Amino acid sequence: MNKKLIVFTFFILLTSIITFAKDNVIKPFRVAVVIGSQWDDPSSYLISTKGGTGYNSATDGTKIPPTDFHHLVVLLKSWSIPFDIIRLDQQFLDRYMFLDMYDHPKYGTIIWNVNQSDKLLNPDYSIITEMVKDYHMGLIALSDRIAQPEIQSLLGLKFIGSWQSNTSIEIVNEHFLSTGIESPLTISEELDDHRKRQQVTCDEGTTVIAEQNGMPQVTVKELSANTRTVWIGNDPDFLFYFDGIRTILRNAITWTIGYNIYKSYPNEIIMIMDDPGGSQNVYLDNWKYPELIEKEIREYLVKPLKENNAILNINFVPAFVNEKKSRLEPTWTQQFTDDFGNKQDYVSSKKGFDYGISQGVFEVMCHGLTHMQPDLVSEPGWYGADLDKEKAEVGWYREFGDVRRNKEIPAAEQRWRMETSLDWIIEQFGVVPLEFCPGGGAQSRTFFNNTCCLAGKLGFGWYGWGEGYLGKDMVIQDWIFLGKESPLIVGSLPNSHDYGITYAPEDFKKIFEKYPEARFISVNEFIGYLHAQTSGKCDNSGKLALSIFYDSHYCKYFEDHETTWTLEFADWLIDENGSPQIHIDGKETTPISKIINVRPGLGKHILEIEFSK
């Protein structure tokens, strides 16, 4: 074949591919989150309301970073919606942040949350105009982060400024974004009324969905048949405390991409009990009690859990501090009478906990190695101290923050303790714990000693009770919206510890009367959803192909448990393409109320959606 003809044919083919990528109605299922200088961690790993660098374990008066970015990533992780973060204080805005090497879009929509800052690296905002107008990516802009003229033009707005207002936000037009939202919008009761209200004027063709005392606060604009933009106003620090605003954001993702697959937790509860295996009950005067024995565990924990098809998540301590020998020993070999006169039979305890694990009602979590200070020797000294004097100080019974001496625990020591606790728990119980909870909540928070970051890098998937997400990609501390966008986390009755069961064992089962409609789940189920990898794109036949990938570490729970997701389509996508026919792993299914079930199994699950009018 003639070389010129080959080149010309290839050019035509490439042009058709690029045209298809630009004009195709089916967009990739992934979100680009573009921010300014709100991420305090220069290493782009820790996301926290208390900052990423230079912060002491106690409040040091340093200015707290803006919360809008933190709240946004909590929501996206809670919903298991895939996203990447582009930070313009450390990155030069480039078109290939949004396109692959073939000029195909990598994202279905862009969430624009760029604050005004002199730290930004002189971004070329025309790139966003190109991505939206030429490549038909959606755009969702937040609050007052719309000072850039290019962004205002895409939204069809002119930004005036921000002033305080405590008036209600009302839905004024029915739209896909307002589906299922009560008007006026409700906000968390504990917040005061000193919130900023953005003021904008709307261009022709921009539709107002919600107003606050006559001022637009949610707007939409259709730039073309395949291109949509959304603006969500109000105070950036309090924006997502509105229940309705969180739903509007999720609906906006669906509307700008055309479809969405996400996780919700309408009635799920994670119940936690702390401390089995610890030493403090043997030495701490105000916390003394005999460890639970097999008979008690079977009768007061396992039995009611089985009757209610519930799971109790337990933070275990695998190492015991033997004061007489001044060393650590495996917990579950201990049998003795302590100095308070309590008989301690950890051997019997282990049999009871093993039974609960075998019955599928206990989930094993990691509470550190000993629940006690690494340094028990230095002044004022714990070894050899009296029960009613130094041993009675609760600071000794904290492992990852030296509360007794008011200082942090070095990173290397923390890491060794985490690694050793993992090894010992795996050996003792035969499972890999995915949740890490520092004993007593004490932790180190400065940049190099950060307990949360160390746990994330070691492969844990959740931190503390409700402290936050751990992953190799990022850690998100100071979690929020529990019981709303994430499962509610509660302590076992009567007091969230095995201590309570020893003195009021009958109280444990009252939790099921308190939450009669709840499903008490494993923390590993929640971790599995947080770490599930979803994606979507148009395949070669023109069908929408969604994939859900469960890895063998964070998602181990799904190896033999079915998963449930919400699959949602924008009204315009259905209008243009017809009703969806859905095949999951090759089998046709009919979603009921948008809920789909995926069979047990690790690895990739494929959802094929074919539209037919």
Side-chain angles (χ1 to χ4, degrees):
M1 183 180 290
N2 185 285
K3 278 188 177 182
K4 290 184 178 180
L5 182 58
I6 292 174
V7 171
F8 179 75
T9 303
F10 175 76
F11 176 77
I12 293 296
L13 177 61
L14 182 61
T15 301
S16 67
I17 290 173
I18 293 174
T19 302
F20 176 78
K22 286 185 176 184
D23 296 337
N24 183 29
V25 113
I26 304 295
K27 307 178 194 299
F29 184 57
R30 196 168 188 86
V31 174
V33 176
V34 187
I35 64 170
S37 61
Q38 299 104 306
W39 199 345
D40 189 62
D41 182 0
S43 68
S44 300
Y45 185 58
L46 172 65
I47 300 174
S48 169
T49 60
K50 296 177 177 65
T53 59
Y55 287 76
N56 293 325
S57 297
T59 302
D60 66 355
T62 308
K63 181 174 169 46
I64 295 174
T67 59
D68 55 331
F69 168 55
H70 174 270
H71 293 175
L72 177 60
V73 294
V74 167
L75 289 174
L76 293 174
K77 280 291 186 185
S78 297
W79 298 329
S80 301
I81 292 176
F83 66 96
D84 295 316
I85 300 169
I86 299 169
R87 53 183 300 179
L88 300 186
D89 62 336
Q90 288 196 9
Q91 293 174 271
F92 297 97
L93 195 60
D94 191 285
R95 65 196 303 273
Y96 285 104
M97 290 176 171
F98 305 93
L99 305 173
D100 66 17
M101 63 184 293
Y102 302 106
D103 270 7
H104 296 167
K106 295 194 295 185
Y107 304 103
T109 199
I110 299 166
I111 297 180
W112 187 261
N113 191 34
V114 178
N115 63 328
Q116 291 183 278
S117 171
D118 58 6
K119 296 179 181 179
L120 306 188
L121 302 182
N122 194 28
D124 178 4
Y125 297 120
S126 68
I127 289 171
I128 305 301
T129 302
E130 179 189 10
M131 294 304 110
V132 174
K133 287 192 171 181
D134 296 347
Y135 290 88
H136 306 293
M137 295 182 198
L139 176 66
I140 303 167
L142 302 179
S143 190
D144 60 357
R145 313 319 199 189
I146 58 172
Q148 308 83 7
E150 294 87 347
I151 301 301
Q152 294 181 45
S153 176
L154 293 169
L155 299 171
L157 301 173
K158 289 182 176 60
F159 180 64
I160 300 171
S162 302
W163 292 270
Q164 286 188 354
S165 173
N166 61 0
T167 53
S168 299
I169 300 178
E170 308 270 354
I171 302 296
V172 295
N173 275 308
E174 291 187 7
H175 190 272
F176 184 87
L177 264 66
S178 60
T179 303
I181 298 172
E182 293 185 6
S183 181
L185 276 61
T186 57
I187 193 168
S188 299
E189 294 178 358
E190 67 271 16
L191 298 178
D192 61 34
D193 293 329
H194 300 290
R195 297 185 297 274
K196 294 287 187 180
R197 177 186 60 189
Q198 315 308 319
Q199 294 191 15
V200 300
T201 58
C202 295
D203 300 342
E204 184 177 352
T206 302
T207 302
V208 178
I209 306 302
E211 289 182 349
Q212 188 178 19
N213 197 25
M215 296 289 179
Q217 293 301 294
V218 179
T219 67
V220 299
K221 186 175 181 62
E222 298 189 37
L223 300 181
S224 70
N226 296 341
T227 313
R228 292 162 176 81
T229 64
V230 175
W231 175 64
I232 304 173
N234 217 256
D235 193 312
D237 284 327
F238 302 102
L239 183 62
F240 296 118
Y241 286 105
F242 287 93
D243 295 340
I245 291 294
R246 297 196 302 273
T247 303
I248 285 172
L249 172 66
R250 194 178 62 212
N251 288 347
I253 293 171
T254 306
W255 190 66
T256 53
I257 295 178
Y259 63 96
N260 196 347
I261 183 167
Y262 60 87
K263 182 60 187 171
S264 61
Y265 303 89
N267 210 21
E268 279 76 13
I269 290 180
I270 295 172
M271 176 170 52
I272 296 177
M273 184 176 79
D274 279 354
D275 287 359
S279 308
Q280 63 225 38
N281 56 304
V282 175
Y283 304 117
L284 182 57
D285 185 58
N286 69 342
W287 199 250
K288 53 183 180 289
Y289 60 94
E291 185 57 270
L292 297 170
I293 59 175
E294 180 183 8
K295 181 181 178 180
E296 295 168 331
I297 294 168
R298 283 176 174 258
E299 177 66 22
Y300 298 114
L301 296 180
V302 176
K303 183 180 177 181
L305 286 167
K306 290 182 71 175
E307 289 173 349
N308 290 277
N309 194 28
I311 293 176
L312 175 63
N313 302 275
I314 304 176
N315 275 311
F316 284 103
V317 182
F320 181 84
V321 177
N322 190 322
E323 201 256 359
K324 290 181 172 58
K325 297 180 181 179
S326 297
R327 72 183 190 194
L328 310 184
E329 293 180 337
T331 289
W332 310 108
T333 62
Q334 306 295 317
Q335 288 177 306
F336 61 94
T337 298
D338 66 29
D339 290 341
F340 295 112
N342 293 321
K343 184 179 179 181
Q344 304 291 350
D345 190 347
Y346 289 89
V347 175
S348 176
S349 303
K350 179 65 160 52
K351 292 177 181 177
F353 289 124
D354 283 342
Y355 176 70
I357 293 168
S358 72
Q359 297 301 300
V361 297
F362 290 163
E363 193 65 80
V364 178
M365 308 192 300
C366 179
H367 210 25
L369 183 60
T370 65
H371 207 303
M372 293 185 66
Q373 286 296 319
D375 180 8
L376 299 173
V377 177
S378 302
E379 288 296 328
W382 180 87
Y383 281 124
D386 295 331
L387 284 175
D388 61 348
K389 294 184 176 63
E390 201 57 43
K391 278 192 174 66
E393 288 291 338
V394 73
W396 290 111
Y397 307 93
R398 303 291 183 262
E399 189 171 5
F400 292 90
D402 192 339
V403 179
R404 187 69 184 104
R405 301 179 183 90
N406 193 30
K407 63 180 184 179
E408 297 196 333
I409 307 298
E413 178 66 24
Q414 292 188 67
R415 186 182 181 96
W416 176 81
R417 289 179 167 266
M418 291 180 192
E419 291 173 333
T420 305
S421 64
L422 268 174
D423 291 343
W424 285 31
I425 288 175
I426 293 169
E427 181 67 25
Q428 291 169 352
F429 293 106
V431 297
V432 179
L434 293 176
E435 182 263 14
F436 175 80
C437 180
Q443 56 188 305
S444 301
R445 295 198 75 136
T446 55
F447 185 62
F448 293 108
N449 292 329
N450 191 283
T451 308
C452 189
C453 292
L454 292 168
K457 291 173 182 177
L458 283 178
F460 290 102
W462 183 254
Y463 184 73
W465 277 39
E467 189 76 9
Y469 168 88
L470 301 179
K472 298 298 178 69
D473 56 339
M474 65 183 69
V475 299
I476 308 170
Q477 204 168 7
D478 315 309
W479 201 258
I480 195 170
F481 311 127
L482 290 163
K484 295 184 176 181
E485 308 302 337
S486 301
L488 180 65
I489 296 180
V490 301
S492 59
L493 294 180
N495 74 344
S496 312
H497 296 77
D498 55 352
Y499 170 81
I501 308 299
T502 63
Y503 290 111
E506 292 287 352
D507 285 356
F508 174 78
K509 62 186 178 183
K510 294 179 181 178
I511 195 85
F512 304 114
E513 299 172 9
K514 186 175 182 180
Y515 302 100
E517 304 299 323
R519 186 170 75 94
F520 290 85
I521 68 171
S522 163
V523 70
N524 286 356
E525 179 179 346
F526 179 44
I527 291 170
Y529 282 115
L530 289 175
H531 286 269
Q533 300 171 41
T534 57
S535 63
K537 62 181 180 180
C538 188
D539 65 17
N540 293 331
S541 65
K543 299 177 185 177
L544 170 59
L546 291 170
S547 74
I548 306 173
F549 181 80
Y550 302 134
D551 72 17
S552 59
H553 177 64
Y554 297 110
C555 304
K556 179 72 173 176
Y557 185 84
F558 299 147
E559 186 172 23
D560 49 14
H561 290 86
E562 186 178 72
T563 51
T564 303
W565 295 83
T566 299
L567 178 60
E568 190 172 71
F569 299 98
D571 48 4
W572 61 265
L573 189 72
I574 299 297
D575 291 342
E576 290 182 12
N577 296 275
S579 301
Q581 299 293 321
I582 303 170
H583 290 77
I584 303 177
D585 293 329
K587 296 181 180 180
E588 187 172 356
T589 183
T590 303
I592 301 174
S593 301
K594 305 187 294 187
I595 303 301
I596 63 167
N597 297 313
V598 179
R599 63 173 175 79
L602 301 178
K604 184 179 288 189
H605 296 268
I606 300 296
L607 283 67
E608 292 180 305
I609 296 99
E610 187 171 10
F611 297 93
S612 58
K613 290 191 176 182

